[in-house]
Amino acid sequence: MDFVTTTPRLCVTITAPTTAELRRRRDLAVEADLVELRLDTVSDPDVDAALAGRTSPVIVTCRASWEGGRFAGAEVERKAILRRALELGADFVDIEWRAGFDDLIAEFGPRIVLSSHDFDGVPSDLAGQAHAMRATGAGVVKMAVKASRLADCVTLLDLSRTFGADERFVLLGMGDAGLSTRVLAQRFGSAWTYAGSVRDVGQISARLLLDQFRFRSITASTAIYGLTGYPLGHSVSPAMHNAAFDALGLDAVYLPLPASDVDDFMAFAAAFGVKGASVTIPHKVALFDKVQDVDTLSRAVGALNTISVRDGQWSGRNTDVAGFLQPLRERKVRLPGCRVSILGAGGSARAVAVGLAGEGAVVTVHARDAQKAQAVASLAGGTVGAFPPEPGSWGLLVNCTPVGMQPKTDASPLPAAALGPGLVYDLIYNPGVTRLMRDATAAGSDTIGGLDMLVGQAQEQFEWWTGTRPSAGVMRAAAEQRLSEFNVDENHLV
Ligand code: NAP
């Protein structure tokens, strides 16, 4: 297989408790172009057994503990394992630059992946280090640095431009801020990307890389979109937007972009030509200063949740308002004159209040902080009410608090006795049916869950960016699938 190519390959990292299990997992990685066999993770490293019967190219790695690996034995023993792998014809063997195994590099140069891992950050002499590593004659230079900011990926992008077209290298940003170096390996000129379950370096699974981020279809012309905020935690937005790009056959990818501040986002966006982004806390307000064109709706809400590059300038919008109203319109709920009780007085309550005011609803805000409640009520020309609201005092009740969200799904912002006939709209989307919604149904209310709004605001964003309205069904299915994965495995990265 030719690894000097503009299309990066997919290397799946295989770890296991024993060599036998390593081999079994190796053979299950059918989606991989090559597999990295991490012999340092097994209790009984046996190179011959690990390599026997392989059907795809391999990198043999036996990472030293001083380089973030798990091999606890002597260096002489580790070196013998690596030499044996080379003698047995392993396609590549990973040798740490700091190991000083110069004789192996001299003897087996083209098959050596010379690696360096900096878990503290980007070393100040990164370019000098790259130069020294390239000068060794190793076939592939792999440099991995801890990425604490998106801007660290820009540093790696700049470094990639110093390599010649015939040089093979892999540049990686470790951690969530470095995800672009894995998904957009093509932009970095990396010979391959790594996928797997080594979460502490920021690896994501091959399935996520291939199915959600469509790694194999990313080219130099793929348009980049993303979600920015800090920290990002779990989000289903990448699943929704990438599924919609896929369904519509659009050459675009949507990434989580955890920017430590808005300047960090802007630096990344400029370097990679990001075309648009969803915005979440805390950048929803901070981005106002960076965006040249903000519409009146976003100003009324006091937050924007979507930005887009238009004619070389950033524009900002708020699609939460339209997303909130969409399910009400679909259900033909008559809002003019409707008595609406909003629970909570945070960011989403502001968007809900502005949306309801625009429809002529009569708004009362119920929140534990009277001052915040008054500020939200004034957005809708409404009033502040007691907490909890009187049963029968509202026709529509909107929960804008996080009470009842995963993992505290037994909680409800209201006692069941405070509910009655009407319509209850819970902005929470995980779980899909909250305790509040169950109690409301029992009290004779209709209900709407937060997933409808989440999909609605995402449809608005997508349409604003691309000019095409995506299918709600495609986005909803992708969100539901991703939410079910989060709930099973809390360790998922995005
Ligand atoms: P936020 O800005 O933090 O506001 C939360 C509000 O809830 C604040 O007023 C807070 O009061 C109040 N609150 C928190 N815990 C409470 C409790 N135990 N009892 C009474 N009030 C409580 O959050 P947000 O951005 O508005 O989000 C709120 C919820 O809506 C979250 O679950 C979020 O996931 C969901 N949401 C959904 C969508 C969607 O598309 N479906 C969009 C946005 C938000 P204090 O200010 O006194 O702390």
Side-chain angles (χ1 to χ4, degrees):
M1 180 170 279
D2 175 17
F3 288 98
V4 182
T5 166
T6 52
T7 306
R9 308 295 179 174
L10 172 61
C11 175
V12 174
T13 297
I14 312 287
T15 61
T18 63
T19 300
E21 180 61 12
L22 190 79
R23 205 161 83 173
R24 195 184 71 80
R25 293 182 188 177
R26 176 198 77 183
D27 295 339
L28 290 176
V30 289
E31 69 282 21
D33 298 317
L34 72 165
V35 293
E36 179 188 36
L37 301 175
R38 285 285 301 263
L39 284 175
D40 57 303
T41 64
V42 305
S43 57
D44 56 343
D46 177 344
V47 193
D48 294 58
L51 290 177
R54 68 185 187 279
T55 53
S56 62
V58 297
I59 305 172
V60 171
T61 300
C62 188
R63 185 76 69 230
S65 55
W66 48 261
E67 187 87 355
R70 289 196 223 154
F71 190 79
E75 279 297 87
V76 63
E77 195 186 334
R78 202 170 71 83
K79 188 173 179 183
I81 290 172
L82 298 173
R83 172 173 282 282
R84 178 73 184 148
L86 286 159
E87 286 167 355
L88 285 172
D91 304 80
F92 295 102
V93 168
D94 183 308
I95 291 180
E96 303 77 7
W97 180 48
R98 294 175 190 86
F101 295 162
D102 296 353
D103 50 335
L104 291 185
I105 302 171
E107 194 175 340
F108 300 99
R111 289 193 285 134
I112 303 294
V113 176
L114 189 65
S115 66
S116 73
H117 300 79
D118 198 316
F119 294 95
D120 294 329
V122 182
S124 54
D125 64 338
L126 187 71
Q129 187 177 316
H131 183 76
M133 291 175 75
R134 289 149 71 182
T136 61
V140 184
V141 166
K142 175 193 174 193
M143 300 182 77
V145 299
K146 166 78 183 163
S148 328
R149 296 168 61 81
L150 294 179
D152 293 336
C153 301
V154 179
T155 303
L156 291 174
L157 185 69
D158 291 342
L159 179 68
S160 74
R161 295 184 173 135
T162 68
F163 284 82
D166 57 343
E167 288 185 286
R168 288 186 299 185
F169 58 93
V170 177
L171 300 180
L172 284 172
M174 296 186 284
D176 292 354
L179 182 69
S180 66
T181 64
R182 299 181 185 279
V183 179
L184 306 177
Q186 191 276 340
R187 296 287 166 104
F188 293 84
S190 289
W192 56 74
T193 195
Y194 290 86
S197 57
V198 189
R199 300 261 191 259
D200 51 358
V201 299
Q203 276 191 357
I204 59 171
S205 68
R207 190 189 56 71
L208 203 56
L209 197 65
L210 294 172
D211 296 351
Q212 189 183 118
F213 296 112
R214 295 177 296 139
F215 174 73
R216 299 230 187 257
S217 65
I218 291 174
T219 66
S221 58
T222 301
I224 301 170
Y225 295 87
L227 165 67
T228 192
Y230 196 84
L232 284 182
H234 286 174
S235 169
V236 296
S237 294
M240 286 195 293
H241 285 288
N242 284 317
F245 286 138
D246 192 21
L248 289 164
L250 297 180
D251 183 15
V253 65
Y254 182 105
L255 299 171
L257 298 173
S260 44
D261 51 50
V262 291
D263 288 332
D264 189 33
F265 171 77
M266 287 295 170
F268 182 91
F272 288 85
V274 172
K275 293 208 175 323
S278 315
V279 183
T280 187
I281 293 164
H283 305 334
K284 278 182 149 181
V285 178
L287 262 169
F288 267 101
D289 293 343
K290 300 283 173 187
V291 171
Q292 288 84 9
D293 158 46
V294 179
D295 68 343
T296 46
L297 189 67
S298 305
R299 290 201 190 283
V301 175
L304 41 80
N305 77 330
T306 317
I307 55 174
S308 176
V309 174
R310 311 250 146 173
D311 303 323
Q313 288 201 326
W314 284 102
S315 294
R317 296 287 181 270
N318 188 309
T319 69
D320 280 337
V321 174
F324 166 70
L325 291 174
Q326 186 171 304
L328 295 168
R329 292 208 173 110
E330 282 166 3
R331 287 167 178 77
K332 300 196 173 18
V333 176
R334 266 198 59 74
L335 288 173
C338 178
R339 290 182 303 161
V340 184
S341 280
I342 298 177
L343 305 182
S348 61
R350 294 179 67 87
V352 167
V354 168
L356 289 169
E359 298 296 312
V362 180
V363 171
T364 308
V365 180
H366 309 263
R368 57 188 181 185
D369 182 318
Q371 260 187 328
K372 287 183 190 168
Q374 184 55 57
V376 174
S378 63
L379 292 173
T383 52
V384 171
F387 200 102
E390 285 288 312
S393 65
W394 46 266
L396 169 63
L397 180 117
V398 187
N399 177 33
C400 298
T401 79
V403 183
M405 256 173 80
Q406 278 281 358
K408 295 184 180 162
T409 53
D410 269 349
S412 171
L414 291 184
L419 294 162
L423 175 61
V424 170
Y425 189 160
D426 197 336
L427 262 50
I428 290 172
Y429 52 83
N430 190 14
V433 178
T434 60
R435 166 86 186 268
L436 174 68
M437 289 165 72
R438 285 199 305 275
D439 288 348
T441 303
S445 251
D446 288 331
T447 60
I448 301 175
L451 198 53
D452 288 1
M453 172 177 171
L454 189 74
V455 170
Q457 61 80 32
Q459 281 180 289
E460 294 287 323
Q461 296 182 321
F462 192 100
E463 187 174 1
W464 188 49
W465 291 329
T466 66
T468 306
R469 189 147 185 99
S471 144
V474 165
M475 284 190 153
R476 174 180 269 275
E480 284 174 340
Q481 165 72 28
R482 199 75 187 112
L483 283 170
S484 68
E485 291 164 1
F486 291 156
N487 294 341
V488 168
D489 177 3
E490 281 297 309
N491 291 322
H492 272 280
L493 175 70
V494 288

